[in-house]
Amino acid sequence: MGKQVSHNNGAGLKNKVMSGLFWTFGERIIAQCVSFIVSIILARILMPEEYGVIAIILVFINIADVFVSNGFGESLVRKKNSDETDFSTIFYCSFVFSWILYVILLFWAPIIADFYKQEALVPLLRVLALKLPISSISTIQHAYVSKHMIFKKFFFSTLGGTLISGVLGILMAYGGCGAWALAAQYLCNTIIDTVVLFITVPWRPQRLFSRKSATQLIGYGWKLTASSLINEFYSELRSLIIGRVYSSADLAYYNRGNQFPSLIITNVDTAIGKVVFPAMTKVAEEKQRIKQVSRRSMKTTSYIIFPLMIGLIAVSEPLVELLLTDKWLVCVPFLQCSCIYYMCQPIQTTNWQIIKAVGRSDLCLKLEILKKTIGVSIILLTMNFGVLAIAIGNAAFAVISMFINIAPNRKLIDYSVGEQMKDIISPLVLSILMGIVVTYIGKIDVPAIIGLVLQIVAGVAFYFIGSYLFRLDSFLYLLDIVKSFIREKVGK
């Protein structure tokens, strides 16, 4: 009887994970496709310098947002029996703290503008910083959705925000609003996401507050917040340096090169993080079950991500020229370095979720300190050799960071470095071979758009034919899911 219950629970969890992945991938892919189209239109209208100004502002807002959006929500997800008191308590803590941060940025705006010698930063920063109190509301809504694995809610909130804010940004850009078009798009997206979730998610803050609950949840969450803060500060450190030592245009080129691979990885990484972490917490005391979830996540994400990143490296120049025009070609080498960086990201994420799921937030903090100490050293070594040197150093750091994240899980769930490398080696080798083929086809003397189409078609065909011939595990796994889905729909 016990085995039957365990089997039913396992099947239920699997169904929730697959449903969650379906809706989360759908949310990310559709919304980001819309966002990508909007960003292409805006990039053709606006100048790199206008993007650079907003990029500088977002450095400070993103760092401040860590205090509001990270740690607290995840502590609610991880606690097995978090109740209404827990949710309301964390909501009030997060909301009050977000306004404190807003006031700090309000007064710091002139100092930041003076540091970068950009007076336009003052009103833009003060307006965009309103994201913080808005995010404090949506953070708890996101935690509720993740806790109950009702990821369908994200689909509508994200899509609605992306569509409406995108239209607003384009209209303002055509109207000559410059950087304010980007600011309006960014803030509008956050507002709509929060409003739609408030309407669709059946949770509302109650007049409940528990000091004991706050102490317990913040005791777990502050370590994750500290880890995320270190990670976010490190991620934004390059922007801080490039914007100050070089120029806002250089920062725009660097960020634009980062945009293409980030667009892909953020979709996959966010989907995996939202779905796999809650799934792991439900079996946190079963080492073998966590390992099974982790291996499947590792195999599937590497099978999807490796060919996308290597293919993007091969087609980067014609892609940028066709989509963004010649004025953005400077970003191509930055794009290629970012592809290498982001290839490591899903592997890092899966291992990171394992550590969090087993309750080792202390280890998360220690690993972040170690990784970022190495990362900052690399930045300091490369910053005086140009923006490209900074980008190359970032790619090298990603490889080092990946192995640091992997190492503890040999002991935690018996998932060793060797076993993880074995799980990802087949799609990596096949992706490299595909990249060589795509690069060779790019040398054919045909119009740019035809050449790009040929490269993409050849790359996709090569990868899937190779997957079939060599019977790659993830290919067969995904094929089986597609067949089951089709049978289910046909059966209905």
Side-chain angles (χ1 to χ4, degrees), residues 30-174:
I30 295 175
Q32 290 299 323
C33 282
V34 173
S35 180
F36 179 71
I37 293 169
V38 170
S39 71
I40 295 301
I41 296 171
L42 290 174
R44 298 176 76 95
I45 301 171
L46 302 174
M47 297 303 294
E49 292 80 5
E50 292 167 325
Y51 272 92
V53 170
I54 296 298
I56 292 170
I57 292 171
L58 291 181
V59 169
F60 297 94
I61 292 177
N62 289 340
I63 291 173
D65 193 46
V66 169
F67 292 100
V68 178
S69 300
N70 294 81
F72 296 132
E74 289 184 339
S75 65
L76 288 170
V77 175
R78 189 186 180 279
K79 186 178 179 182
K80 288 188 178 297
N81 300 310
S82 50
D83 55 20
E84 186 57 52
T85 300
D86 294 324
F87 274 87
S88 295
T89 297
I90 291 299
F91 170 80
Y92 293 122
C93 290
S94 178
F95 189 69
V96 170
F97 194 51
S98 69
W99 279 107
I100 294 172
L101 290 170
Y102 176 76
V103 171
I104 291 172
L105 286 178
L106 192 71
F107 286 103
W108 277 11
I111 300 172
I112 294 170
D114 184 61
F115 179 76
Y116 284 99
K117 297 179 174 57
Q118 297 262 8
E119 285 301 316
L121 289 178
V122 177
L124 284 164
L125 178 55
R126 286 174 170 171
V127 171
L128 277 175
L130 288 169
K131 177 186 187 297
L132 300 174
I134 298 170
S135 290
S136 71
I137 300 172
S138 63
T139 293
I140 310 305
Q141 295 170 328
H142 279 241
Y144 185 91
V145 170
S146 296
K147 181 74 176 178
H148 296 85
M149 301 189 80
I150 47 176
F151 298 100
K152 187 176 181 179
K153 306 293 183 182
F154 287 144
F155 183 88
F156 299 105
S157 64
T158 304
L159 185 59
T162 304
L163 279 170
I164 297 173
S165 65
V167 172
L168 176 64
I170 292 171
L171 291 175
M172 290 183 67
Y174 270 117

Side-chain angles (χ1 to χ4, degrees), residues 335-355:
L335 188 159
Q336 293 169 334
C337 289
S338 291
C339 286
I340 297 172
Y341 174 87
Y342 282 114
M343 278 179 67
C344 303
Q345 200 64 30
I347 301 169
Q348 289 194 60
T349 298
T350 298
N351 282 280
W352 193 249
Q353 302 298 353
I354 295 169
I355 297 168

Side-chain angles (χ1 to χ4, degrees), residues 8-18 149 279 282-283 289:
N8 290 338
N9 288 340
L13 180 60
K14 180 180 178 182
N15 290 336
K16 284 186 176 181
V17 170
M18 293 312 303
M149 301 189 80
K282 293 182 182 300
V283 292
R289 291 280 301 284

